[in-house]
């Protein structure tokens, strides 16, 4: 067999053994980094490093554990050298003046958390899909970013991915005792931030779909009264890259009426899903009348209405979620 044929056969074997883990590694890197775009880059780097060392892989651990070792350490290197990703609600108290437009952060001043398309990580197994969605809920991912990087890795490996303490220690190159101690501290810090979903509805739940449809209709019709029926009385509203955010349905509605909704037909929203939650790709009509990509909005639906609205004002996200420019 020629060198070229041997290398081709080796690449085929590598792809066959490692390719099935790409989606779950993408979710892992997203939990660590808080950005879909960065997660893509981290997974790419993981596979490049894995291929370079594949010839020396001796099977002492499973392929999955070996890949997670590489991915976790790639993530740790990346997140330890940049500032923590946040949402506006992590920067300050809610704004008490919805009659003025929100103030944006300066360029490069804040590293914003981003949404994750459900279609990137959806497992074929319905039961596994539910677990996967729960583990990338925005409230949890936000809380994870508050943890020191190694504590974050320990908690994800142990509580989300169900690696044992000895396996986690091998992945991180530390001791089992250190893993147990780090996990205890991470759980305590996470509990203080209360990231658990509060009766959050699954995206496929008819009540969740109805809330998303109502939100879309309200924006497309510029109908604040319809929004009043969608939002809970304690709803919150925030949008990157703005520092200000709003608490309480009355404040949210006043801000939207004064600064956002505009005239009927100014907005177009297309239903999708992000982070295991109902979402929509958002387009806005420009001064020439053409619809342009605006960003992604993610809702937290409950049995009593939408409790949280987060809009990620980044036109590139619309393409990330698989939607085209419209005109």
């Amino acid at each position: 067999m020629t060198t070229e044929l041997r290398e081709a056969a080796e690449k085929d074997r590598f792809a066959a053994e490692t390719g099935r883990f790409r989606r779950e590694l993408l979710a892992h890197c997203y939990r660590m980094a808080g950005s879909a775009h960065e997660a893509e880059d981290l997974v790419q780097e993981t596979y490049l490093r894995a291929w370079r060392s594949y010839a020396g892989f001796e099977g002492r651990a499973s392929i999955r554990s070996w890949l997670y070792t590489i991915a976790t350490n790639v993530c740790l290197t990346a997140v330890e050298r940049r500032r923590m990703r946040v949402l506006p609600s992590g920067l300050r108290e809610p704004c008490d003046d919805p009659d003025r437009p929100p103030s944006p952060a300066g360029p490069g001043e804040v590293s914003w958390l981003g949404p994750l398309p459900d279609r990137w990580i959806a497992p074929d197994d319905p039961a596994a899909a539910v677990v996967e969605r729960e583990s990338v809920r925005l409230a949890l991912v936000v809380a994870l970013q508050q943890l020191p990087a190694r504590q974050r890795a320990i908690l994800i490996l142990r509580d989300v991915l169900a690696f044992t303490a000895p396996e986690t220690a091998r992945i991180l190159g530390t001791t089992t005792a250190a893993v147990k101690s780090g996990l205890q501290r991470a759980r305590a810090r996470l509990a203080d931030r209360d990231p658990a979903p509060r009766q959050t509805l699954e995206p496929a739940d008819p009540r969740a779909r109805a809330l998303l449809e109502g939100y879309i209709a309200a924006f497309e019709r510029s109908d604040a009264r319809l929004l009043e029926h969608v939002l809970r009385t304690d709803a919150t509203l925030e949008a990157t890259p703005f520092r200000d955010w709003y608490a309480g349905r009355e404040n949210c509605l006043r801000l939207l009426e004064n600064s956002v909704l505009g005239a009927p037909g100014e907005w177009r929203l297309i239903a999708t899903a992000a982070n295991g939650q109902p979402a929509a790709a958002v387009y806005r009509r420009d001064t020439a009348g053409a619809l342009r990509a605006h960003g992604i909005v993610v809702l937290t639906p409950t049995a009593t209405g939408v409790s949280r609205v987060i809009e990620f004002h980044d036109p590139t996200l619309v393409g990330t979620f698989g939607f085209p420019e419209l005109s």
Side-chain angles (χ1 to χ4, degrees), residues 129-313:
V130 172
V131 174
E132 196 70 81
R133 286 196 298 269
E134 287 293 338
S135 72
V136 293
R137 299 279 193 200
L138 278 171
L140 176 59
V141 176
V142 169
L144 288 172
Q145 305 309 301
Q146 310 296 314
L147 298 175
R150 289 185 69 83
Q151 281 187 25
R152 190 186 319 165
I154 289 170
L155 187 135
I156 293 169
L157 291 167
R158 292 284 288 114
D159 285 359
V160 176
L161 297 167
F163 283 104
T164 66
E167 286 172 331
T168 301
R170 285 194 293 271
I171 288 171
L172 294 173
T174 187
T175 65
T176 300
V179 166
K180 291 179 178 179
S181 174
L183 181 62
Q184 186 176 19
R185 290 195 299 271
R187 284 173 175 169
R189 294 184 64 156
L190 211 61
D192 288 342
R193 289 165 175 80
D194 190 24
R198 298 176 180 177
Q199 296 82 45
T200 302
L201 303 175
E202 288 292 316
D205 189 302
R207 295 169 295 175
R209 292 200 301 267
L211 289 169
L212 177 60
E213 289 167 3
Y215 187 89
I216 289 174
F219 256 76
E220 294 187 340
R221 299 174 192 172
S222 187
D223 188 341
R225 287 175 297 180
L226 182 52
L227 271 177
E228 188 173 358
H229 294 292
V230 172
L231 300 178
R232 282 177 21 163
T233 56
D234 61 350
T236 61
L237 172 68
E238 54 192 311
T240 63
F242 300 101
R243 286 182 165 275
D244 294 325
W245 64 285
Y246 305 85
R249 182 170 60 198
E250 182 179 346
N251 285 334
C252 296
L253 291 175
R254 281 175 61 187
L255 182 278
L256 291 170
E257 284 189 282
N258 292 340
S259 304
V260 180
L261 285 178
E266 184 172 335
W267 297 93
R268 182 176 178 189
L269 282 69
I270 303 174
T272 185
N275 297 81
Q277 298 169 228
V282 182
Y283 297 84
R284 191 172 195 174
R285 204 170 296 280
D286 64 18
T287 55
L291 285 167
R292 301 296 182 193
H294 187 78
I296 297 291
V297 63
V298 183
L299 309 182
T300 301
T302 73
T304 55
V306 171
S307 65
R308 189 178 192 185
V309 178
I310 307 173
E311 198 217 358
F312 299 91
H313 181 191

Side-chain angles (χ1 to χ4, degrees), residues 22-83:
R22 183 175 286 273
R23 282 188 175 184
E24 61 176 278
L25 287 170
L26 184 59
H28 177 56
C29 292
Y30 173 74
R31 295 181 199 104
M32 286 292 298
S35 161
H37 293 307
E38 187 173 357
E40 278 190 298
D41 292 340
L42 294 170
V43 170
Q44 182 67 18
E45 177 63 22
T46 295
Y47 274 87
L48 286 173
R49 293 191 187 186
W51 169 244
R52 292 186 191 124
S53 58
Y54 183 60
F57 176 63
E58 299 176 348
R60 294 175 185 170
S62 68
I63 282 282
R64 182 174 182 264
S65 178
W66 178 65
L67 286 171
Y68 270 102
T69 300
I70 298 171
T72 301
N73 286 285
V74 166
C75 289
L76 287 173
T77 299
V79 303
E80 285 175 344
R81 62 172 179 244
R82 60 144 172 86
R83 64 167 65 96

Side-chain angles (χ1 to χ4, degrees), residues 66-136:
W66 178 65
L67 286 171
Y68 270 102
T69 300
I70 298 171
T72 301
N73 286 285
V74 166
C75 289
L76 287 173
T77 299
V79 303
E80 285 175 344
R81 62 172 179 244
R82 60 144 172 86
R83 64 167 65 96
M84 177 178 62
R85 292 190 183 276
V86 297
L87 288 174
S89 53
L91 296 177
R92 56 172 69 171
E93 295 299 309
C95 179
D96 59 3
D97 184 7
D99 294 321
R100 64 172 174 81
S103 56
E109 187 179 348
V110 178
S111 289
W112 297 111
L113 190 92
L116 179 70
D118 270 20
R119 65 186 181 89
W120 279 17
I121 61 167
D124 295 329
D125 178 7
V130 172
V131 174
E132 196 70 81
R133 286 196 298 269
E134 287 293 338
S135 72
V136 293

